[in-house]
Amino acid sequence: MLVSRAGLSPVMVGRDSELAQLRRLAATATGPTIALIGGEPGIGKTRLATELIRAQPEATTKLLGQTDASGFGQPYQLLLDLAGDRPELAEPVRDRSLDSMERNRAAIELLRALVGAGPALLVVDDIHWADPESLAIFEQLDEVTSEPLLLVGTYRPEELSRRHPLAEVLGRLDRRRGVTHLRLERLAPADTARFLAAVYGRPPARRTVAALHQRTGGNPFFLEELLKAAGDTDLDKIHLQPLPWNLAEALRSQLDGLAPDRRQVVEAAAVLGGRVPFDLLATVTGQAEPELIAALRELVDRGLLVEAEEDQFGFRHALTREAVAGELLSRQRRRLHEAALEALLATPDPDPARVAKHARGAGRFDDMVAAARRGAIERLASGAPYAALTIAEQALEEVPDDPELLGLAATAAWRAGYLSDAQRYGQRALRAATGDAQRVAALTHLMRVAWEQGELAEMDEYTERLRALTETLPDNQVRTRAIAAVAQAYMLRSGGPNGLDDAVAWAERAYAAAERHGLKEVRLAALVEKGSALLQGPDTAAEGQRLLAEVAAEAEHAGAHLEATRSLHNLFWFAGEHATPEVLERMRSNAKRGGFTGMALGAYYGGRAWLAQRDGDLDGAIAVLEAARRLDRNMIAIDPAGDGPIALHLGLSSGAHLAGALAQLYLERGDLDAAEELIAELPASRKARSTGIRLAFQLACRRGDLATAQELLPDLTGGSGHGASLHRDGAMLHNLLAAGFAAGLPVELLRPLADSVAAAAGKGKHEALWPLITGQLAEAVGDHQAALAAYQQLPDQPTAIMTEAQLGTASVGAARCLVQLGRLDEAREALADAERRLARWSGWRRAELNTIARRLGVAAGAADTVLTPREREVAALLADGLTNSEIARRLVISRKTVAVHVSHILGKLEMSSRAQVAAWVAREQPLARSSSS
């Protein structure tokens, strides 16, 4: 529940405009809406939220929540607390036997049940202390309800560090749905006067206002505490009294009047934390139940403490607790922590995170470190990597070179998505390693992080260090794991300096060593590396496919879920006949059983999207990826507690890959603004930068921004290191060339890209795309006969790498070439094939089809399908006679973006004036005007 901080004043002062704004949001919300109230401690954030609650109609469902300041909360702790007296709703969320995806779904169902069917208000006080898992649910409010729901969170801006979960969530929410931000400032002198008048029932003297405003700086909480310290002093004489000059003194003056047993309770509560159970207070203070009840009753009546929920007590304001704890002697604090620690250790299953906290406070550092280890492991196992990282970091302040804690911190940082921190802790773990096993584990971790960041030179360096260790270590289990790590590195870098042969050779070495030492899962992992490497070679693909299918079956039978998941994943993406929904579901099932949520979510949704793309369903593919984006971002991240990143080419195992894939589909459909938003979200790693540059180039081309496109060309061709692996992605090269040619870039500028493409010939499955790219290049230089021959080499059906959309584009290209060659009947046949393949595909491919269809006098579908939803919206506003500036204001976009949309509309409809567009809207889209007005 929300702790009410109504304060001394019967009315709220100085926040009328903010309250009015919040009330308007609540009254006008048509679906989930978010508002955040920021400000320093004591500024009145909670009072404002409380007044908003009071102002809501009786029929509004009101959910009130507070968070735990410790930072060690269990996953979904905030939502579990919201359930309150309905524990049966929370049981699925508490169930640790469920995987993260199932708990995420259960959490959504819990909030849906709590919100109900009507309008609702959800207030979260101190949201900066909320657990990341609950914060992630707030990104999925559209799945919770379509009814009016206002989420209001209060927070301290100074608490938001670079990697704070709330900081990340705020950025994403602002980009996707918009958030109303209210920043509360300190009271002005006039507000201080009104505050005093409300408390005392009459206007104060100006000298009193000036003195109190100077002392408090306009902070309402500090003002209240000074007034409490003044007691019964007359209002006009307050400025003459020796009032305390700071908050600590004001609070101490309140405690001075307490009986020793009451003061003992207050001091114990200050040390024990945000919400303290009654039984723990009784144990620590040594007071009998009747005496403690009487003490708590008095402290609640005096406004020092509140009963936050049944048998849980805390301070009315966090500043009060901080000040009381700060006034205690060090020995007092240590004894209270010692008592709390003994009380926790006497319980059957104490929370190791809280044990670590009180052990640290008691100065029992050995106990603290041991508990922190257990706590970090437990939080990782329960899917709370941010909490695990917080716990491990606290212990590392005392034992900065503890290799196990450094390893836990590295893993937690990786799972939480903080790759730079994962790298830093991994490097520290390597320096602190005291044995071969720790050294191999740290190098393996760093190799994987480097791969995930796209730092291939660093990855190769760590791989070579692992390789060197295999030459000096004795033939034991540690050496076997090092060999397996090298095998995986070479498999991942199969297009790098070592190639497939080394990957296969090292996988065979790992297999033999695992057989000798009875390491069953390492043996299976070695077979996965070998099969995956073989699968990428044109002459060995069949053998690799057979091997991976066998490993998948054996691993499933043995319960080796990671190896089963990896085998099925790579079969799906690299063996055409295995790219089936059945294989995808098997992969997901094994990933869920093994707790590898990155594979269960990212790769699974990526696979479903690929199946839709392969079958020519663009909107279906986008819908799948949009659904995945609504899930917890942390769940889509790679799970380094498993076996690291294994997405070889198309698998979507990370949030960055997911955002990039969805942005590419938005570019396909022509949703350029949506694509731009996702490109902005990509992280700063080298791999993500490379993806971002390729997407940004297409975006610039599709918008007609030739200057930006030309600036990006050197990066695409490897001038800045971002094009090094471009030759391995034939589909991306096809998209880049298509965008560049559509924007009118000359062949001379795009020739370096073509040179990169040439390197793809003979590169396994990428060879299948070569005729399409060859056709693009030949057509661009006017060699229509050669282009036609290339387009006609493509297969009749989609393959593991070729989609219906790409085949449809090839048919469109063939039709263009046939028109140029004067073979019109054949051109119409090619166009009919393209129409069939692109029936469920919109965007630029469909626009090209319609253009050639009009030249041939063939009806190729309604013109409405040529324009994107945004372009249709702009067309309707053009028909209403709005200027570009007026359209920009109406749609909240830039005038430049409007100009690009107008240019695309005129080009797609083959028109030359706005009047023609208006006539088309009146004829083809009679409802467009009414929907835009």
Side-chain angles (χ1 to χ4, degrees):
M1 62 172 288
L2 181 69
V3 176
S4 175
R5 298 177 190 161
L8 294 177
S9 174
V11 297
M12 184 175 62
V13 173
R15 311 299 185 206
D16 292 342
S17 63
E18 290 87 351
L19 178 59
Q21 187 174 358
L22 289 171
R23 292 184 67 177
R24 282 196 300 273
L25 280 176
T28 60
T30 57
T33 306
I34 299 176
L36 293 172
I37 307 171
E40 66 182 79
I43 204 66
K45 303 183 294 295
T46 308
R47 177 67 185 266
L48 175 59
T50 302
E51 294 295 329
L52 174 65
I53 293 168
R54 292 173 176 169
Q56 294 310 296
E58 191 68 30
T60 300
T61 299
K62 305 175 186 70
L63 298 174
L64 318 171
Q66 279 189 298
T67 55
D68 184 356
S70 71
F72 304 144
Q74 296 283 0
Y76 306 107
Q77 187 63 56
L78 172 58
L79 296 182
L80 293 172
D81 289 346
L82 284 172
D85 57 357
R86 302 176 69 183
E88 73 284 354
L89 296 177
E91 282 309 309
V93 184
R94 297 182 190 276
D95 187 355
R96 295 187 184 180
S97 67
L98 300 179
D99 63 35
S100 296
M101 182 171 58
E102 290 167 331
R103 291 183 75 184
N104 179 84
R105 177 55 54 187
I108 291 174
E109 294 296 333
L110 167 62
L111 188 55
R112 179 181 295 134
L114 295 174
V115 166
L121 171 65
L122 169 57
V123 175
V124 180
D125 203 24
D126 293 326
I127 196 172
H128 51 273
W129 287 328
D131 61 277
E133 294 74 24
S134 293
L135 288 176
I137 298 300
F138 297 151
E139 295 188 67
Q140 303 172 61
L141 290 180
D142 288 332
E143 294 190 40
V144 172
T145 182
S146 59
E147 296 291 328
L149 166 63
L150 176 59
L151 166 63
V152 176
T154 72
Y155 73 103
R156 302 181 185 181
E158 69 274 11
E159 294 281 347
L160 302 189
S161 63
R162 167 185 61 85
R163 70 183 193 194
H164 194 287
L166 180 60
E168 297 183 0
V169 168
L170 287 184
R172 296 197 295 273
L173 287 173
D174 270 331
R175 286 190 291 268
R176 290 182 207 165
R177 65 188 312 132
V179 176
T180 299
H181 291 270
L182 302 178
R183 179 65 181 263
L184 300 189
E185 304 298 338
R186 295 188 172 192
L187 299 179
D191 293 324
T192 300
R194 285 195 291 271
F195 186 99
L196 293 171
V199 172
Y200 287 90
R202 62 185 179 87
R206 278 191 293 179
R207 286 178 300 177
T208 300
V209 173
L212 289 178
H213 188 75
Q214 179 188 11
R215 291 188 177 189
T216 63
N219 184 295
F221 179 72
F222 198 179
L223 179 59
E224 286 191 0
E225 297 307 319
L226 289 180
L227 294 182
K228 289 180 185 178
D232 296 331
T233 302
D234 184 83
L235 173 60
D236 294 331
K237 297 180 180 179
I238 285 181
H239 69 286
L240 301 175
Q241 300 300 311
L243 295 177
W245 280 93
N246 56 53
L247 181 59
E249 289 184 45
L251 291 167
R252 185 165 59 245
S253 68
Q254 294 184 60
L255 300 185
D256 286 344
L258 290 176
D261 60 333
R262 271 53 170 172
R263 184 177 184 125
Q264 181 189 29
V265 174
V266 173
E267 292 171 346
V271 171
L272 293 176
R275 285 178 294 183
V276 187
F278 180 93
D279 292 341
L280 183 58
L281 265 178
T283 301
V284 170
T285 61
Q287 296 188 23
E289 182 172 324
E291 288 74 17
L292 182 57
I293 291 175
L296 288 169
R297 178 73 270 166
E298 180 181 340
L299 294 171
V300 169
D301 289 342
R302 293 179 63 140
L304 272 171
L305 300 183
V306 294
E307 187 173 14
E309 56 185 271
E310 185 175 353
D311 280 347
Q312 299 273 335
F313 294 86
F315 281 82
R316 185 173 62 89
H317 200 289
L319 280 177
T320 309
R321 182 180 65 80
E322 294 166 11
V324 172
E327 287 298 310
L328 296 177
L329 297 174
S330 298
R331 185 174 294 274
Q332 284 180 287
R333 285 196 295 269
R334 282 200 308 274
R335 291 200 171 187
L336 286 167
H337 280 298
E338 181 78 38
L341 177 61
E342 294 300 332
L344 285 171
L345 293 176
T347 60
D349 186 22
D351 182 351
R354 299 197 180 278
V355 170
K357 170 188 173 181
H358 292 299
R360 184 186 190 193
R364 289 167 52 172
F365 297 115
D366 289 344
D367 291 338
M368 185 271 287
V369 171
R373 284 197 187 96
R374 295 194 305 274
I377 292 170
E378 180 186 282
R379 292 300 193 265
L380 277 173
S382 64
Y386 185 77
L389 179 59
T390 303
I391 296 166
E393 286 180 331
Q394 185 183 85
L396 285 169
E397 292 177 10
E398 302 298 335
V399 285
D401 297 323
D402 185 286
E404 184 180 1
L405 281 170
L406 287 168
L408 286 168
T411 298
W414 194 357
R415 291 187 66 175
Y418 308 127
L419 291 183
S420 60
D421 290 315
Q423 182 183 51
R424 177 167 54 87
Y425 282 121
Q427 290 169 342
R428 287 176 59 184
L430 180 60
R431 291 193 296 269
T434 58
D436 294 331
Q438 292 175 348
R439 195 169 296 110
V440 167
L443 285 170
T444 302
H445 170 85
L446 288 168
M447 178 270 290
R448 293 165 177 169
V449 171
W451 164 255
E452 195 53 28
Q453 290 180 312
E455 303 290 349
L456 301 184
E458 290 185 19
M459 178 188 179
D460 292 340
E461 177 188 343
Y462 291 125
T463 303
E464 287 309 303
R465 293 177 68 175
L466 283 164
R467 179 172 180 161
L469 275 175
T470 65
E471 297 174 359
T472 60
L473 291 172
D475 184 16
N476 57 18
Q477 293 189 2
V478 175
R479 181 171 180 268
T480 301
R481 296 185 186 281
I483 295 172
V486 173
Q488 186 181 78
Y490 286 170
M491 185 274 291
L492 293 170
R493 288 282 279 128
S494 56
N498 302 100
L500 296 174
D501 290 342
D502 276 353
V504 172
W506 278 82
E508 290 175 344
R509 287 184 60 187
Y511 174 85
E515 284 277 80
R516 286 196 302 275
H517 298 290
L519 297 175
K520 185 174 183 178
E521 290 196 6
V522 176
R523 180 182 69 82
L524 289 171
L527 292 175
V528 174
E529 314 305 349
K530 179 179 179 180
S532 299
L534 292 172
L535 201 58
Q536 298 176 74
D539 300 325
T540 59
E543 182 184 354
Q545 179 177 329
R546 176 192 57 76
L547 181 57
L548 284 180
E550 291 174 357
V551 174
E554 180 183 351
E556 284 181 307
H557 180 73
H561 300 301
L562 174 60
E563 286 67 34
T565 299
R566 296 184 61 213
S567 300
L568 293 163
H569 173 280
N570 293 353
L571 277 173
F572 179 88
W573 289 111
F574 285 84
E577 56 268 39
H578 288 276
T580 65
E582 292 74 22
V583 169
L584 197 61
E585 290 298 336
R586 283 175 63 195
M587 183 206 74
R588 182 193 194 192
S589 175
N590 280 280
K592 287 170 61 179
R593 291 192 180 104
F596 311 117
T597 53
M599 300 299 294
L601 290 177
Y604 173 74
Y605 279 97
R608 284 180 52 193
W610 165 251
L611 291 175
Q613 290 179 70
R614 186 190 64 184
D615 296 339
D617 184 2
L618 177 58
D619 288 342
I622 288 175
V624 168
L625 294 186
E626 285 178 336
R629 288 283 294 172
R630 288 193 293 269
L631 295 174
D632 182 0
R633 185 182 178 214
N634 290 333
M635 295 179 189
I636 298 171
I638 285 174
D639 180 4
D643 213 31
I646 65 174
L648 301 181
H649 170 59
L650 293 170
L652 301 176
S653 299
S654 73
H657 291 158
L658 185 65
L662 186 53
Q664 182 64 62
L665 294 185
Y666 282 149
L667 288 169
E668 282 279 341
R669 195 166 66 180
D671 293 344
L672 303 186
D673 293 340
E676 184 176 30
E677 290 180 8
L678 286 180
I679 294 170
E681 288 187 29
L682 294 174
S685 68
R686 181 183 295 274
K687 185 180 293 187
R689 285 199 304 274
S690 298
T691 299
I693 288 170
R694 297 166 192 175
L695 294 169
F697 173 80
Q698 294 178 69
L699 179 66
C701 289
R702 296 298 174 189
R703 282 181 167 164
D705 185 357
L706 297 187
T708 299
Q710 291 184 49
E711 288 177 8
L712 293 171
L713 265 174
D715 286 333
L716 289 177
T717 55
S720 300
H722 297 296
S725 63
L726 184 57
H727 69 278
R728 301 196 63 218
D729 193 343
M732 177 59 76
L733 280 166
H734 161 62
N735 293 331
L736 293 172
L737 291 173
F741 290 140
L745 288 176
V747 175
E748 293 74 23
L749 287 180
L750 295 172
R751 180 59 62 184
L753 284 178
D755 293 339
S756 295
V757 173
K763 292 288 184 180
K765 67 176 187 176
H766 300 284
E767 189 175 6
L769 284 163
W770 182 247
L772 176 61
I773 299 165
T774 301
Q776 288 178 279
L777 294 169
E779 191 180 359
V781 298
D783 190 348
H784 298 105
Q785 189 65 56
L788 176 62
Y791 289 139
Q792 289 178 337
Q793 290 178 31
L794 291 168
D796 293 331
Q797 298 297 326
T799 66
I801 189 64
M802 186 73 66
T803 67
E804 283 282 16
Q806 291 162 345
L807 292 174
T809 295
S811 294
V812 170
R816 281 195 302 263
C817 293
L818 288 164
V819 168
Q820 292 294 326
L821 296 171
R823 296 155 60 179
L824 300 186
D825 289 341
E826 293 176 73
R828 292 186 180 93
E829 290 179 8
L831 196 64
D833 182 72
E835 173 68 37
R836 176 178 61 82
R837 297 185 186 279
L838 296 174
R840 293 182 293 168
W841 203 274
S842 56
W844 65 267
R845 298 181 193 272
R846 185 77 193 186
E848 288 185 353
L849 183 153
N850 288 343
T851 298
I852 191 64
R854 280 190 287 270
R855 291 184 63 185
L856 288 168
V858 176
D864 188 45
T865 63
V866 178
L867 303 185
T868 67
R870 176 64 92 183
E871 288 167 350
R872 291 197 295 273
E873 196 173 6
V874 171
L877 294 174
L878 285 175
D880 285 336
L882 273 66
T883 66
N884 283 11
S885 296
E886 291 169 334
I887 294 172
R889 286 194 296 271
R890 178 75 65 86
L891 300 181
V892 196
I893 57 179
S894 69
R895 283 182 295 174
K896 180 179 179 182
T897 300
V898 174
V900 172
H901 284 315
V902 172
S903 176
H904 286 172
I905 291 167
L906 293 172
K908 290 180 178 182
L909 298 180
E910 294 187 334
M911 296 175 180
S912 58
S913 71
R914 292 172 178 247
Q916 289 176 307
V917 174
W920 175 81
V921 169
R923 183 178 66 255
E924 302 289 342
Q925 293 184 298
L927 298 178
R929 288 191 176 193
S930 62
S931 65
S932 67
S933 60

